[in-house]
Every structure is written in C-alpha cells, then in structure tokens.
Amino acid sequence: MLNTEAPLPRITTSMQWLNQAEGLIPSATQTLAKGPSQHVRGIAPVFAKRGYGATIVDVDDQEYLDYTMAVGPLSLGYCFPEIDDAIRGQLDNGIVFSLPHHLEVEVATLIRDVVPNVERVRFSKTGADVVSAAVRLARAHTGRSTIVCCGYHGWHDWYIGVTDRHAGIPQSIRDLTFTFAYNDVESVLSAIDDDTAAIVLEPTVVESPENNFLQDLRRICDDRGIILVFDEMWTGFRLALGGAQEYYGVRADLICFSKAIANGMPLSVLCGRADIMDRLEEDVFWFTTFGGETLSLAAAQATIHFMQGHDVIGHLDVVGRRLSGALLELTADLGISWLYTKGYPARTMITYDSNVVDPLIVRSYLQQELLRYAILWNGFFTLSYSHTVADIDRTVAAFMEILPQLAKHVHDGTLRSALEGEPVGPVFRRTGNFNMRPRTVTVEV
Ligand SMILES: Cc1ncc(COP(=O)(O)O)c(C=O)c1O
C-alpha cells in the first residue's frame, strides 16, 4: 500500500485543547506561523506535548519529523543536551538579578568575536524589539524619519503599520515606512529620499542577492548617510556563524539577531557600530526588565560554543542541499512547472505559480499528505543540526509518492476535493509592495 493511502493522524486531544483555546486565546496562538490557521483544520495536529532532536510529539502522542522547528529557534534541535545542561546549570544560580550579570559581558564579547563589524552589543527578548531599537537609533543618529524596508520585521508599529494589518496604528506612523522589492535597486532608489534614516532588510529570504544587490545597498547608504540594518532573524547562525555579513561579504551598520542564537530560549541581539549604539548612553532610551535574563544568555553561550566546536553550519548546508536538490530534480522529472523550490539550504521553501494553482490549496494538500508520512511541514523546511541525511531521504521518498498524485489532482481539477480538512489561511508574510513609491529612477545596467 502506498503511504498516500495511510491514515491521517488522530487529533482528538488536539481538538479538545483547540475547543478550549478558542474564545479564550485570540487566534489560539501567540505565533501565527505555528497556529491553527497555518495547519489543515480537522486533520493536522494543533497542540504539542514535547520534542526531541528533530521530532515533535503532539498531545495525542504521535511523533512527526518537524520542519518548522518552532519557527526558527531550534537551530540544534529539541532538548539538545549541551544547551539544556547550560540552562540547568544557570538555573541553579538564579534567573534574573538585581545587578547586571557577568554572562551579559561574556555573551556580548562572544558575539563581537564571531560576528563581523560588531563594536557594541545589547540584548533583548524578541526579534521585533531589536529591529525597532535599530530603527529608533537610526532615526536618532540621522535626524531623519522615514524607513524603507524589505521583508517581515515583527509586530511593532513602524513596520506592521505599512502592511494590510495596520488597525490601531495612526496614519502619521504609517506614512513613515515604505517598502522596496528585493534585488531591485531601482525600487530602493525610488523609495528613499532626503528624510530616509534607514534601509532595513532581511539579507535573503526567497531569492539570493543578484548583481551585487547587497553591495549596492551598502554604497547607496554610504553615499546618502543612510543606516543599513540587517534583520538576521533567519540568516543569523544559519548562513554562517557570522551571519549574512560574513556569508555575503557586506558590512551592515546595525545587525539584529534572535531565533537560532539560543536554541529555543528567548533572546534577541542588536549589535553594530559604536557611534550609533553609544546613543543608548545618551538620548536614546531602550531598557527592559528581562533584557539580561541569564537562562537565555547561558543557552546562547552554549549554542555559539557548540557551533564553534562542530560544523553545524556545514551540516545545515549539506542536508539542505540534499533536500532542495532532490526536490528540484523530482519536479523537473515530473514536468511540474508551477511548483518551485526556493530559499537557501538551511531554509528551503516551496512556492507556486498562482496563475496555475491556488497556493493555499496546494500547500494544504502537501501538508495533509506529508502527515501520512509523519512529517509536519507548513511551507518551509527549517533545518536543524538534528535533521539527518536519513530524515531528508525519508522526506524525499514521501515527495516521490505525493508529487505525482498532486500533479494528477491539479490536472484533473480535483485538488480541493482531495482535502480532508479546512485549507490553511493566507500566510501573513509579504516582503514588498506595501506603500511602495512610484518608480522615479531607472538604473542603467
Ligand atoms: C525576519 C524577521 N524579523 C523580525 C521578526 C520578529 O521576531 P519576533 O517574532 O521574535 O518578534 C521575525 C519573526 O518571525 C522575522 O522572521
């Protein structure tokens, strides 16, 4: 029997928790990408119980190979012994203190050592915290107001106000942010003006930088006194130990990290140029109660040390390339021209030609069918050090069976009816096209 005929998981306990959550916890999640709207309702597990390595166990006690990895933080894996030992060791001595803790200095020093162009370091708890701090510093340093950005940068007003979920954010704030298209220097030049304080971007998401795009941004910033901010929530501690600056050989002025740095503990980092960050000793205010919380700092220290001692980055690259290479080959062999494998090895994603297929229905179908193979997937393959070559091969084998069925459903127009639950909702993630300025610049190439 093909696994495509295998039963879907039992989710009785998950649905009981979901019933209790709905009407109590808006959206039934604190993180959209892991919530019920991103999983096929009625068939996909909703609540987790525990995890180990690259395996997540749901509340119905079923195990899945996990490709979401807590939406990024689990760079090494669930319950990774070296990191958990460091957390336990620190727990015996206290969590937060009435004075700064020496771990703050130790981890700041470590970050300065491994990340290029770091003269100053500050800690916080979330990705949104540190990107917003970078924006405030850039505004203070330049005396300018507008921000141009590309990518997702969290829930704070300066960024989310520019998206279509801007309720609650005054127009005056929304008018200060513009977006540009990745790999499109003309759109950057059209977006900036004399009042631009910062260019903020994820160094790569779907596409790789082409034609020296990042170097061009550096030059534009230098020429016009604009602060270049790299939001490295995803690229940090994945592309290279020193992040995108090291990988692409481009200097940013301010660099933001979180997610992978502490293997699951909540820590974020803003680092970069001394002359900008030293304003935090003067007129820019950014302090927070839990910024120096030590369990997360101990986890970050242990994670970075582990990455220094083991080729984690190389492993992500090897397993990532094995996966994306196999998927590319498979779709080519099957003549599937409307499904693409994109991203970078540590974080491959599947995208679709929306002129041919409904991306949400295809994603739902793939998610549903992968569940029959005990694989939890919601659009991205976020890899960790715990993902093995055997895991990848098992995943590719599943796709070898699923993709021909998918192609047949698309051809026959039966894909929607092949879904046994409610399809996933729109992904809340756009990397451009919000508040874009009309093109005013043409660049000769
Ligand atoms: C690139 C990027 N920036 C910022 C954020 C916001 O981080 P957080 O959710 O920790 O506030 C995210 C979250 O996914 C992200 O992917």
Side-chain angles (χ1 to χ4, degrees), residues 332-366:
D333 286 353
L334 291 167
I336 298 177
S337 58
W338 35 263
L339 184 149
Y340 316 107
T341 302
K342 297 209 167 164
Y344 45 96
R347 189 175 181 235
T348 296
M349 68 194 76
I350 295 185
T351 63
Y352 315 91
D353 182 346
S354 57
N355 294 314
V356 182
V357 291
D358 180 336
L360 294 179
I361 301 299
V362 182
R363 185 153 68 90
S364 301
Y365 179 81
L366 287 174

Side-chain angles (χ1 to χ4, degrees), residues 53-367:
T55 300
I56 184 168
V57 184
D58 72 6
V59 284
D60 288 278
D61 285 322
Q62 292 153 128
E63 302 197 350
Y64 308 85
L65 174 59
D66 189 348
Y67 279 114
T68 302
M69 298 308 277
V71 199
L74 298 166
S75 43
L76 302 178
Y78 289 99
C79 295
F80 207 78
E82 285 83 345
I83 313 310
D84 289 3
D85 286 348
I87 296 167
R88 278 190 208 99
Q90 181 56 37
L91 184 59
D92 289 342
N93 290 308
I95 303 170
V96 279
F97 300 88
S98 313
L99 297 170
H101 192 275
H102 60 80
L103 266 175
E104 295 170 50
V105 189
E106 285 176 45
V107 180
T109 306
L110 192 53
I111 288 168
R112 188 183 59 193
D113 289 347
V114 298
V115 179
N117 309 310
V118 169
E119 296 171 319
R120 298 287 187 272
V121 182
R122 280 283 301 268
F123 298 109
S124 197
K125 290 286 109 192
T126 73
D129 285 353
V130 286
V131 191
S132 291
V135 163
R136 185 177 296 174
L137 278 164
R139 284 175 166 155
H141 192 74
T142 58
R144 303 175 188 168
S145 301
T146 61
I147 305 295
V148 302
C149 65
C150 176
Y152 172 74
H153 305 296
W155 71 277
H156 290 183
D157 287 9
W158 76 267
Y159 168 70
I160 222 64
V162 83
T163 71
D164 48 14
R165 275 191 76 172
H166 54 64
I169 300 167
Q171 187 66 44
S172 54
I173 303 282
R174 296 173 50 205
D175 289 344
L176 295 176
T177 300
F178 300 87
T179 65
F180 61 90
Y182 191 77
N183 268 338
D184 183 345
V185 176
E186 285 178 18
S187 90
V188 178
L189 291 172
S190 302
I192 59 178
D193 59 26
D194 291 345
D195 198 29
T196 301
I199 294 178
V200 182
L201 82 159
E202 294 185 68
T204 177
V205 183
V206 184
E207 312 290 342
S208 296
E210 283 166 14
N211 302 321
N212 294 321
F213 179 62
L214 298 177
Q215 282 82 356
D216 283 347
L217 292 185
R218 178 69 267 165
R219 213 167 7 257
I220 291 167
C221 287
D222 286 342
D223 289 350
R224 299 170 191 235
I226 296 171
I227 306 302
L228 182 60
V229 180
F230 275 3
D231 176 341
E232 296 224 42
M233 294 318 141
W234 279 102
T235 50
F237 303 90
R238 282 206 160 83
L239 271 188
L241 196 52
Q245 291 189 100
E246 177 185 327
Y247 191 78
Y248 294 120
V250 178
R251 176 177 58 79
D253 299 307
L254 296 173
I255 311 106
C256 309
F257 298 107
S258 185
K259 293 199 192 274
I261 192 172
N263 196 45
M265 290 297 283
L267 185 74
S268 56
V269 180
L270 175 65
C271 50
R273 264 169 57 183
D275 59 332
I276 305 174
M277 288 195 58
D278 279 347
R279 297 194 77 104
L280 293 169
E281 298 189 344
E282 302 160 17
D283 49 354
V284 176
F285 189 90
W286 178 43
F287 299 97
T288 182
T289 304
F290 292 108
E293 172 270 307
T294 58
L295 299 190
S296 300
L297 289 166
Q301 187 179 48
T303 302
I304 297 172
H305 281 158
F306 188 89
M307 289 184 174
Q308 286 176 317
H310 301 78
D311 191 10
V312 174
I313 306 290
H315 177 82
L316 298 180
D317 197 63
V318 166
V319 287
R321 280 181 201 283
R322 191 174 179 96
L323 177 65
S324 56
L327 291 179
L328 280 168
E329 211 171 293
L330 209 50
T331 45
D333 286 353
L334 291 167
I336 298 177
S337 58
W338 35 263
L339 184 149
Y340 316 107
T341 302
K342 297 209 167 164
Y344 45 96
R347 189 175 181 235
T348 296
M349 68 194 76
I350 295 185
T351 63
Y352 315 91
D353 182 346
S354 57
N355 294 314
V356 182
V357 291
D358 180 336
L360 294 179
I361 301 299
V362 182
R363 185 153 68 90
S364 301
Y365 179 81
L366 287 174
Q367 182 181 84

Side-chain angles (χ1 to χ4, degrees), residues 4 331 334 336-340 350-352 357-370 377 398-416 418-419:
T4 45
T331 45
L334 291 167
I336 298 177
S337 58
W338 35 263
L339 184 149
Y340 316 107
I350 295 185
T351 63
Y352 315 91
V357 291
D358 180 336
L360 294 179
I361 301 299
V362 182
R363 185 153 68 90
S364 301
Y365 179 81
L366 287 174
Q367 182 181 84
Q368 167 182 294
E369 296 307 307
L370 286 165
W377 173 87
F399 272 93
M400 282 171 82
E401 293 191 353
I402 294 168
L403 284 180
Q405 309 275 341
L406 169 65
K408 185 167 181 331
H409 282 304
V410 168
H411 177 266
D412 296 348
T414 52
L415 192 60
R416 178 65 184 85
L419 281 185

